[in-house]
Amino acid sequence: MKRVFSALFTLLVLSACGRLETLPYDPPQTPETWLQIQPYARFTLGGQTITLMQPSTTAIVYLLGLLTIGVGLYFLRTHAAQRSRLWWGVALLLWGLGALLAGTSYEAFSYAIKCAGREACLWTSWWEVLYLIASVWSIDAMTLAVAYSSATGKLRKALSIYSIANAVLYFMVVMVGALIPVKFLISFELLLVVAAPAIIAFFVINGGRYYKNKLRLDLILLGAWLWLGVTIAAYFLYLISGNTASLWAKGFWFSENDVLHIGLIIWMFYLAFALAPQVKDS
């Protein structure tokens, strides 16, 4: 437990120093306006006043993170020497970790990490940089899982090489972006660009296999990728709708992130109850 608190303290220190602090929030925000544009709650714990941003969204994203880690541990505990199950477990552990990191910096403690004690709020933090890395590595681990469950021979080898190379190159790109810094290299948009080829490949591989062989596992995996795509699309549709600000103004704390996180919670239950009993090496 002491190691966990030590690691969290280190991340908070990193959040408050380094070149990332040269990137101001866009559009510019002060600590005062940060509290005006989003819901928050304040409470006292151990004599310290804590500002919790977007409380309901925080609860949902933390639930997603813990649920995802739990499903990942289930895959690992039941992998039975099946490499596809092993890599699904690794992928979901990384995904869950990423959700907790993102929820901490984007929502729960964004004020403390990005704004408190500053004249202007920061655009990002090391919590978010680690979230980006964990998320892409999660997709790369899924690529390895698909390589073992849905491919053989040269295709399996190609997917394996791609996943490892992608993980290494993305880590290097993100670190360059964080240390110089370069905004686009540590953006959510670049994360989507990097993750997209693997997700498209999943559709093609499992869709093609099901069309040819009508295997139940391929149909279940195709359903998993379809729901993931629907969830991401719903997130962007809600984002561009502008409903978040109008609902917040009326006291309803619901945002595009809630759409994303609720969709992913449903996805986790699908993976646990539909995919987990079926997935095995090809």
Side-chain angles (χ1 to χ4, degrees), residues 6 30 78 89 112 144 157 221 243 248 252 276:
S6 177
T30 65
T78 61
L144 286 168
K157 184 176 182 180
L221 282 167
N243 287 333
W248 280 356
F252 294 100

Side-chain angles (χ1 to χ4, degrees), residues 195-206 225:
I199 296 175
I200 293 172
F202 299 160
F203 273 103
V204 172
I205 292 170
N206 291 121
W225 312 134

Side-chain angles (χ1 to χ4, degrees), residues 11 19 31 39 42 60 78 86 89 107 151 156 194 213 218-219 230 238 268:
L11 284 174
R19 294 186 179 273
R42 276 189 169 145
I60 293 172
T78 61
L86 172 67
E107 284 99 19
R156 176 181 289 180
V194 172
N213 302 315
D218 289 308
L219 181 61
V230 168
Y238 196 90
M268 288 306 139

Side-chain angles (χ1 to χ4, degrees), residues 23-29 34 37-38 114 120-124 183:
L23 295 175
Y25 195 84
D26 186 20
Q29 300 291 341
W34 190 263
I37 62 174
Q38 54 191 310
K114 297 179 180 180
C121 297
L122 301 181
W123 179 70
T124 191
K183 201 171 184 179

Side-chain angles (χ1 to χ4, degrees), residues 20 23 106 123-125 128-129 132 170 173-179 181-191:
L20 289 181
L23 295 175
Y106 286 114
W123 179 70
T124 191
S125 70
E128 293 170 23
V129 171
L132 296 173
Y170 183 73
V173 167
V174 167
M175 292 310 296
V176 168
L179 296 175
V182 180
K183 201 171 184 179
F184 177 69
L185 298 183
I186 48 176
S187 67
F188 182 67
E189 289 77 11
L190 180 61
L191 182 153

Side-chain angles (χ1 to χ4, degrees), residues 86-182:
L86 172 67
W87 284 111
W88 264 111
V90 173
L92 294 179
L93 288 181
L94 289 168
W95 193 295
L97 174 62
L100 295 178
L101 291 168
T104 297
S105 186
Y106 286 114
E107 284 99 19
F109 302 108
S110 60
Y111 178 80
I113 293 171
K114 297 179 180 180
C115 297
R118 303 177 186 276
E119 293 184 2
C121 297
L122 301 181
W123 179 70
T124 191
S125 70
W126 279 100
W127 294 81
E128 293 170 23
V129 171
L130 293 177
Y131 149 72
L132 296 173
I133 294 170
S135 297
V136 168
W137 282 4
S138 174
I139 297 295
D140 291 327
M142 286 183 199
T143 304
L144 286 168
V146 171
Y148 283 103
S149 69
S150 307
T152 58
K154 292 183 179 180
L155 178 57
R156 176 181 289 180
K157 184 176 182 180
L159 290 171
S160 300
I161 293 173
Y162 172 84
S163 63
I164 295 171
N166 193 64
V168 173
L169 289 175
Y170 183 73
F171 175 80
M172 294 171 63
V173 167
V174 167
M175 292 310 296
V176 168
L179 296 175
I180 290 181
V182 180

Side-chain angles (χ1 to χ4, degrees), residues 2-103:
K2 290 183 178 180
R3 291 182 179 179
V4 172
F5 283 117
S6 177
L8 292 176
F9 178 77
T10 300
L11 284 174
L12 283 170
V13 172
L14 286 173
S15 298
C17 64
R19 294 186 179 273
L20 289 181
E21 67 181 8
T22 64
L23 295 175
Y25 195 84
D26 186 20
Q29 300 291 341
T30 65
E32 292 74 23
T33 60
W34 190 263
L35 297 177
Q36 294 171 3
I37 62 174
Q38 54 191 310
Y40 69 94
R42 276 189 169 145
F43 57 92
T44 301
L45 183 64
Q48 297 292 322
T49 299
I50 297 175
T51 302
L52 182 68
M53 307 303 300
Q54 302 182 38
S56 58
T57 299
T58 294
I60 293 172
V61 70
Y62 279 175
L63 173 61
L64 169 63
L66 295 175
L67 175 63
T68 304
I69 290 172
V71 177
L73 291 173
Y74 174 74
F75 270 98
L76 291 177
R77 190 172 66 249
T78 61
H79 80 275
Q82 298 288 311
R83 292 189 179 184
S84 54
R85 299 182 69 84
L86 172 67
W87 284 111
W88 264 111
V90 173
L92 294 179
L93 288 181
L94 289 168
W95 193 295
L97 174 62
L100 295 178
L101 291 168

